């Protein structure tokens, strides 16, 4: 009989346990979880704090009793594994309820310890009003602080998924919020110009967003006016009531009533390093495609491991629930005699930011540039469904690809509707090895309430293949502010748009519908840099000009991309 011991009972560990039982009724399966809960929806924690998920119980997907009843898995919460003996194939376990210890042997050990929030060595962070958010107890503490301290202001440090979701949660609770981000953008899986849509939405909702700003120090000022006949109750209130004086890298001072540190996570690898298992160059647990560590009897999955980047094959850290669940399932297969291999992580992700969604898959431009990869990019901004049907929203879509082979490197999208659909399509196309030329031929659902005859994906592919064939010569938003005397900027929108929407200084305005009659006004000895609102009319103008012997380039994504890149 195979004995499987699993360390960590959330996404990867719980999936592995359930899969192992479905494959074998004979296997002995034990989950050791140092926390109070297993199989909880950690991605839902901010939404319960903000009140969108009202019932706390909805976050608890399984309990030890339900796991036992359905899967016959021995789940032991408040049991922390403190040591691994590879040679003896045992783990030392500490019962956190009473401090006692015992030893458990295994045939196969699965490590799913996850990743812990990074808390930098900033002076003053060890105080009762500063929180991180990883699990149910963290969530409960934040809710308790909100209830007892009744914050009139909240501060969130970090513009990743948790930071953005917590800023929205505070906003839903009516608490004025400051969001600090040390980089020049939130949502680092996306590029700066796509994050601009998030910046605009965050500020539109009244959040005090401060980019390129870090937290330097915090000082807890307790509220000494609390009085109660019950000394114990008074002590509890004394610990929770007060304010924080924050010093920012900009030199500004900020007073706040609750502080959330959400600057990222780091793989939990203490057990692994102490056991002599190998870690990778990024600090995560090193595994092979079968999810085995350097010890073939020990597997590892989830946020703690380094897996292969789907595009480059290089090690990467991707703390997402989807990969963790699939890896757990695969590890269970292999521990029970099957031969499954993990096919790499694309990092497909989406985040709700108030009324906006931002999603991405594959590599972003920052990563491609860092790796020295030759790439091209296109932007399209088009309706989520037929524009004449009510409720259409703009989908802003960015596609990154190899200009020679057409290999899809990655994509990003922002908007209020249809964002998940488009990124999911690209994630599937990328995994299937499709090229941008093949994206032209995708036959996606169309009816006026749901899509367009030429979907966003098709349109991006048309633009990309135009560039690859030489039918279009692009210029990008980051080049517009650095034009030379040998270039002339041409705005082909209607004059009313310039008044209502704005324009780029120094541009000559000739509407596209007048261009044939007024082309003689443009000099042939200069390169004409064309722009319109989203790039479509610009392409029409570009073709007219080059067909008449002009040298020209079209601003890909148009004025809309240019504006949001600066947001």
């Amino acid at each position: 009989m195979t004995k499987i011991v699993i360390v960590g009972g959330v996404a990867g560990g719980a999936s592995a346990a359930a899969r192992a039982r479905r494959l074998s009724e004979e296997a002995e399966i034990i989950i050791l979880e140092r926390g109070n809960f297993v199989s909880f929806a950690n991605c839902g924690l901010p939404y319960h704090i903000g009140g969108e998920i009202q019932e706390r119980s909805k976050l608890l997907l399984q309990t030890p009793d339900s796991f036992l009843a359905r899967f016959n898995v021995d789940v032991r919460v408040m049991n922390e594994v403190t040591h691994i003996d590879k040679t003896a194939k045992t783990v030392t376990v500490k019962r956190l309820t009473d401090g006692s210890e015992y030893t458990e042997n295994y045939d196969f050990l699965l490590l799913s310890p996850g990743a812990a929030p990074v808390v930098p060595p900033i002076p003053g962070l060890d105080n009762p009003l500063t929180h991180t958010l990883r699990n149910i107890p963290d969530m409960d503490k934040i809710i308790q602080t909100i209830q007892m301290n009744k914050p009139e202001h909240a501060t969130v440090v970090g513009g990743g998924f948790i930071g953005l979701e917590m800023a929205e949660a505070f906003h839903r609770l009516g608490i004025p919020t400051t969001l600090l981000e040390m980089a020049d953008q939130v949502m680092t899986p996306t590029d700066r110009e796509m994050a601009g849509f998030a910046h605009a939405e965050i500020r539109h909702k009244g959040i005090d967003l401060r980019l390129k700003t870090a937290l330097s120090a915090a000082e807890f000022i307790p509220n000494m006016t609390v009085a109660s006949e019950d000394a114990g109750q008074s002590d509890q209130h004394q610990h929770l009531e007060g304010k924080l004086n924050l010093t920012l890298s900009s030199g500004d001072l900020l007073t706040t009533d609750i502080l959330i540190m959400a600057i990222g996570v780091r793989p939990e690898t203490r057990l692994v390093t102490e056991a002599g298992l190998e870690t990778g160059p990024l600090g995560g647990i090193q595994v092979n495609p079968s999810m085995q560590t350097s010890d073939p009897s020990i597997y590892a999955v989830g946020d703690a491991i380094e897996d292969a980047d789907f595009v480059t094959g290089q090690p990467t850290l991707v703390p997402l629930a989807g990969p963790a669940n699939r890896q757990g399932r695969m590890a269970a297969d292999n521990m029970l005699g099957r031969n499954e291999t993990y096919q790499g992580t694309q990092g497909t992700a989406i985040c709700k930011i108030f009324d906006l969604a931002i999603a991405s898959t594959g590599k972003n431009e920052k990563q491609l540039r860092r790796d020295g990869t030759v790439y091209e990019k296109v932007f399209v901004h088009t309706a989520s469904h037929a524009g004449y049907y009510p409720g259409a929203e703009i989908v802003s879509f960015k596609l990154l690809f190899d200009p020679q082979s057409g290999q899809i490197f990655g994509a990003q999208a922002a908007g209020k509707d249809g964002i998940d659909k488009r990124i999911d399509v690209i994630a599937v196309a990328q995994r299937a090895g499709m090229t941008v030329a093949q994206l032209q031929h995708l036959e996606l659902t169309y009816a006026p309430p749901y899509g367009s005859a030429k979907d966003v994906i098709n349109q991006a592919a048309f633009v990309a293949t135009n560039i690859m064939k030489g039918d279009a010569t692009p210029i990008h938003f980051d080049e517009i502010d650095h034009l030379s005397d040998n270039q002339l900027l041409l705005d082909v929108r209607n004059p009313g748009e310039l008044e209502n929407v704005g324009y780029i200084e120094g541009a000559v305005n000739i509407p596209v519908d007048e261009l044939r009659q007024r082309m003689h006004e443009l000099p042939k000895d200069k390169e004409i840099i064309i722009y319109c609102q989203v790039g479509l009319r610009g392409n029409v103008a570009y073709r007219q000009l080059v067909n008449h012997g002009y040298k020209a380039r079209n601003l890909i994504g148009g004025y809309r991309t240019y504006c949001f890149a600066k947001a």
Side-chain angles (χ1 to χ4, degrees):
M1 181 177 70
T2 302
K3 183 175 180 179
I4 298 171
V5 173
I6 298 171
V7 180
V10 192
S15 293
R19 175 66 172 173
R21 178 56 72 222
R22 290 195 297 271
L23 294 178
S24 169
E25 271 298 312
E26 289 72 40
E28 181 182 358
I29 306 169
I30 300 170
I31 294 179
L32 301 170
E33 168 58 52
R34 69 183 176 192
N36 279 309
F37 304 94
V38 292
S39 193
F40 63 87
N42 49 4
C43 295
L45 302 179
Y47 298 109
H48 179 59
I49 293 170
E52 286 178 289
I53 299 172
Q54 295 190 357
E55 296 178 40
R56 181 176 179 274
S57 59
K58 297 284 188 185
L59 301 173
L60 305 175
L61 308 179
Q62 293 282 355
T63 66
D65 289 340
S66 69
F67 238 119
L68 182 63
R70 181 167 296 182
F71 297 110
N72 190 26
V73 171
D74 179 6
V75 178
R76 306 175 191 173
V77 295
M78 303 298 286
N79 276 244
E80 181 179 11
V81 175
T82 58
H83 179 69
I84 300 169
D85 188 328
K86 294 184 300 181
T87 306
K89 296 180 81 167
T90 62
V91 292
T92 303
V93 189
K94 182 179 181 180
R95 296 184 183 91
L96 299 180
T97 49
D98 60 12
S100 62
E101 290 189 341
Y102 65 96
T103 300
E104 197 71 57
N105 68 299
Y106 62 83
D107 294 309
F108 292 105
L109 179 65
L110 176 68
L111 302 176
S112 182
V118 174
V119 180
I122 295 172
L125 283 189
D126 186 12
N127 66 72
L129 300 183
T130 297
H131 301 273
T132 56
L133 182 59
R134 182 189 186 187
N135 52 37
I136 298 279
D138 291 342
M139 178 188 74
D140 291 341
K141 288 175 185 174
I142 291 170
I143 292 171
Q144 184 185 27
T145 298
I146 292 170
Q147 290 172 344
M148 298 189 71
N149 209 37
K150 296 180 176 55
E152 297 177 356
H153 183 273
T155 300
V156 179
V157 179
F161 293 98
I162 295 295
L164 292 168
E165 288 162 0
M166 281 305 304
E168 182 173 352
F170 286 133
H171 181 269
R172 279 182 58 86
L173 295 171
I175 303 170
T177 303
T178 295
L179 176 59
L180 306 177
E181 171 54 58
M182 188 164 60
D184 64 351
Q185 67 165 93
V186 302
M187 280 287 287
T188 53
T190 65
D191 291 311
R192 177 68 173 73
E193 72 280 7
M194 298 302 289
F197 295 100
H199 300 159
E201 177 71 5
I202 291 164
R203 289 177 168 137
H204 175 68
K205 294 296 183 181
I207 302 295
D208 173 25
L209 173 63
R210 306 194 192 188
L211 300 172
K212 298 183 182 177
T213 305
L215 177 63
S216 299
E219 181 187 12
F220 177 54
I221 310 296
N223 184 351
M224 303 307 293
T225 63
V226 176
S228 170
E229 292 180 7
D230 184 318
Q233 184 183 7
S234 177
D235 287 345
Q236 185 185 32
H237 280 244
Q238 292 270 5
H239 281 298
L240 283 173
E241 291 195 4
K243 291 186 178 295
L244 291 171
N245 288 337
L246 307 180
T247 305
L248 311 184
S249 59
S250 61
D252 291 345
L253 299 177
L254 183 65
T255 299
T256 197
D257 303 301
I258 184 170
L259 175 63
I260 306 294
M261 296 299 298
I263 63 171
V265 294
R266 181 181 292 121
E268 289 251 20
T269 57
R270 181 190 60 80
L271 273 176
V272 168
T273 52
E274 290 178 358
L277 298 170
E278 291 181 13
T279 55
L282 303 178
I285 305 170
Q286 198 167 74
V287 295
N288 65 18
S290 299
M291 311 315 298
Q292 286 171 305
T293 67
S294 52
D295 183 317
S297 297
I298 303 177
Y299 291 71
V301 299
D303 295 357
I305 72 165
E306 292 184 13
D307 46 30
D309 181 280
F310 180 79
V311 176
T312 66
Q314 295 301 307
T316 185
L317 294 170
V318 182
L320 293 172
N325 277 279
R326 296 196 306 278
Q327 291 159 5
R329 174 188 172 92
M330 234 165 259
D333 280 359
N334 293 336
M335 287 187 285
L336 291 169
R338 300 196 175 191
N339 184 26
E340 298 289 338
T341 55
Y342 189 66
Q343 304 296 312
T345 297
Q346 292 164 276
T348 309
I350 189 167
C351 186
K352 176 183 178 294
I353 305 171
F354 298 101
D355 299 327
L356 190 75
I358 293 196
S360 61
T361 191
K363 308 302 285 182
N364 60 40
E365 191 174 349
K366 297 186 293 283
Q367 294 166 329
L368 294 172
R369 199 182 299 124
R370 179 197 66 201
D371 295 342
T373 304
V374 176
Y375 67 92
E376 186 53 270
K377 58 187 175 183
V378 297
F379 301 89
V380 293
H381 306 277
T382 189
S384 57
H385 59 246
Y388 56 81
Y389 187 89
E393 299 284 356
I394 294 177
V395 174
S396 295
F397 184 82
K398 177 180 184 178
L399 182 63
L400 294 154
F401 60 97
D402 185 318
Q404 296 300 317
S405 69
Q407 177 190 354
I408 300 166
F409 287 144
Q412 301 159 38
K416 295 183 178 181
D417 183 50
I419 301 306
D420 52 345
K421 169 181 172 179
R422 271 67 187 207
I423 291 299
D424 285 344
V425 168
I426 291 294
V428 173
Q430 184 183 51
R431 191 163 285 272
M434 293 179 68
T435 64
V436 291
Q438 290 171 318
L439 291 181
Q440 297 176 102
H441 305 290
L442 286 183
E443 193 170 324
L444 304 174
T445 55
Y446 165 56
Y450 301 109
S452 300
K454 289 188 289 189
D455 189 79
V456 177
I457 302 293
N458 301 125
Q459 293 199 37
F462 295 152
V463 179
T465 51
N466 279 344
I467 293 172
M468 290 178 67
K469 291 175 181 177
D471 292 338
T473 307
I475 190 169
H476 293 295
F477 67 88
D478 49 359
E479 301 173 76
I480 291 297
D481 292 339
H482 308 288
L483 300 182
S484 72
D485 293 337
N486 296 319
Q487 295 169 307
L488 182 143
L489 188 60
L490 174 65
D491 186 332
V492 297
R493 297 173 300 161
N494 296 321
E497 292 177 76
L498 278 65
E499 295 176 22
N500 297 326
V501 181
Y503 55 88
I504 302 173
E505 291 286 347
V508 172
N509 178 222
I510 302 178
V512 66
D513 294 338
E514 301 176 13
L515 186 58
R516 277 190 181 87
Q517 290 72 42
R518 298 177 57 185
M519 202 175 290
H520 62 274
E521 298 176 24
L522 299 173
K524 277 206 166 181
D525 61 342
K526 290 191 177 185
E527 183 181 49
I528 311 301
I529 305 300
I530 310 159
Y531 82 92
C532 64
Q533 190 60 23
V534 298
L536 190 60
R537 286 171 291 175
N539 184 59
V540 173
Y542 169 84
R543 292 308 311 169
Q544 288 184 32
L545 287 170
V546 296
N547 287 341
H548 282 85
Y550 284 85
K551 184 180 180 184
R553 284 198 281 168
N554 181 32
L555 175 59
I556 301 296
Y559 185 67
R560 181 175 172 85
T561 298
Y562 176 84
C563 285
F564 278 98
K566 296 174 175 293

